[in-house]
Amino acid sequence: MSDSKIHLSKILPAWQWLQDYSKPKFRADLLAALIVIAMLVPQGMAYAMVAGLPPVTGLYASILPMIVYAMVGGSPTLSIGPVALISMMTFATLSPLYEVGSPVYIQAACLLALLVGILSTLLGIFRFGFLIRLISHPVIKSFIIASAVLIALSQVKFLVDVPLKSGNVVEFIQSAWQYLSLTNLQTLVFGLFAILFLIYAPKFLNSDLFKSFAHSMPFLIKALPLFLVFISIALVHFLHIDQYGIKTVGEIPSGFPPISMPFWSWDLVVQLLPGAAMITMVSFVESISIAQATAFQQRSELNSNQELVALGLANFSAGITASFPVTGSLSRTVVNADAGARTPMAGVLSSIFIVIVSLYFTGIFKELPLAILAATIIVSIWKLVDFKPFVDSWRYSKADGIAMWVTFFGVLCIDISTGLIIGIVSTFLLLLWRISRPHIAVIGLVEGTQHFRNISRHDVLTSTNIVSIRIDENLTFLNANTLKEFVISEVSKHPDLHHVVINCSSISNIDLSALETLEEINNELNKLNILTHLSEVKGPVMDRLKQSNLIDELSGKIYLTHYQAMHELDAQTFC
């Protein structure tokens, strides 16, 4: 392959997979697209409702973004489109500013997608894909779990047909107390029946009685939400159950999504920019995590910066086609992969099917009860609510456990964006706290070996006139004084001390403040006629120390190995 083609395949991955495309791949992608579309139609409309937008925008968000990602993205199975979490963040960003569902609200949602697209593309172009590492996995897990709770609560208003608030749990409880007596029992019963159907129908089909049938037709179980949609539409159309107060979606405009730039002004951009930045970060983390999981399974390459650009262009296309921010969907991606999708063409085919639905079949959905869409969201999102990670994190690391709980209650009690910021900040504060309190140990020789271990954990050889210290952390301004205090404490315990040896095997960096602290330790010990030695200094650290005064002023020596230092300083003990 020529250099120009290699370069083009990196910029436009579709160039590579389209060259090798074949009929078997098309058949596999077509089957996967048919299965995914059964989920995408009800999910897309439902997630648009979560965002406070007309249901048709959920269909719009599933057309051009999928095609764009297929051309530019690197994952063969990632399904781009509306997802519950980003829809909820869209609602949280826009609802305090505009009346939900109003024309200005819809325009602001389009502009928000456009801003997310621009930010994501710029981050990818300037190679900021490493930013995914700034959010710890415990915080991401907690954020998703808490957001799932809020998303589920946001749909309760469609089950009871009262205007419940769901920005946070406090608002929800207050509004529930206020409006509980106005609950529409018919809508509630209808919605609860839908929830029970979505929970127990798959279990029934997977039972021993129908297992062989279900395995031969995997489409059946995946399409249950779509079957429920059509059944509920039939009930409204033929039995007129809407006369009992069960509200429906109403008129849905048909046709291809309008392509135009959303209205914008600098004041509006400034208002939406913080929310757009948060959505950009979360959508990237969610999308890249899903893409990485499928890349492992399919042994395919994945470039985080390329994914940022692809996600940015997908969101840009969403912004100009009257929809809202999008990202990778875990549920649809898993179904897409399990259904045998071979290339991103599966996403293109799915978008073509959505176009057909938008052009010719939107009239079918006008009699779709809102309670059915709410039930679809609640059942799909509630699977994410799992408190086991909180227990596991607390057992393994109290710091990660604290970060998880802080994030969880921040999201539930304040709002989604603020909760995530609190989680990220708490992670960094706890990280700084841990770095400032490094593990420092006095070490001794394991008899019969050349290995040194912590004297409080192992039976080791030590010397009365030597203290060997190992610090298991990089030396920075945060912890340098902790090392100094530790040395002072050890010196006070050993009246016959002649040597202090600092084992540097775990130190990969020494900043200027820590260097000055080492110089102070060396000078103070020298006044007490105690020599300071270093051992096992790593190459990059030694390169920097050679540019300082410490090497020349060091009262002792720098040893290649710790055993060499101990053997030379006290050959009788460490023979």
Side-chain angles (χ1 to χ4, degrees), residues 112 117 162 259 290 306 313 430 480:
L112 186 65
V162 292
I259 299 178
I290 298 166
Q306 179 72 24
L313 295 176
L430 289 166

Side-chain angles (χ1 to χ4, degrees), residues 360-437:
Y360 304 109
F361 298 104
T362 53
I364 296 175
F365 297 104
K366 70 178 182 180
E367 294 178 314
L368 172 62
L370 294 175
I372 295 299
L373 293 178
T376 301
I377 295 170
I378 291 172
V379 172
S380 64
I381 205 68
W382 200 254
K383 298 172 185 175
L384 299 175
V385 181
D386 179 13
F387 290 98
K388 188 175 181 295
F390 289 88
V391 178
D392 294 340
S393 293
W394 183 262
R395 285 176 179 171
Y396 183 77
S397 168
K398 296 295 187 289
D400 285 334
I402 291 171
M404 285 193 75
W405 283 111
V406 167
T407 305
F408 182 78
F409 286 113
V411 171
L412 284 187
C413 300
I414 305 176
D415 60 59
I416 283 182
S417 298
T418 305
L420 180 59
I421 292 172
I422 290 173
I424 295 171
V425 171
S426 67
T427 301
F428 279 101
L429 290 177
L430 289 166
L431 176 63
L432 294 177
W433 178 82
R434 183 183 64 79
I435 294 173
S436 69
R437 297 169 61 87

Side-chain angles (χ1 to χ4, degrees), residues 159-192:
L159 294 180
V160 296
D161 194 20
V162 292
L164 300 178
K165 296 180 179 179
S166 55
N168 56 50
V169 170
V170 177
E171 282 186 358
F172 178 80
I173 294 173
Q174 289 175 342
S175 60
W177 180 262
Q178 181 179 358
Y179 293 109
L180 193 61
S181 59
L182 302 177
T183 298
N184 185 321
L185 292 178
Q186 290 87 348
T187 302
L188 178 60
V189 171
F190 189 67
L192 291 177

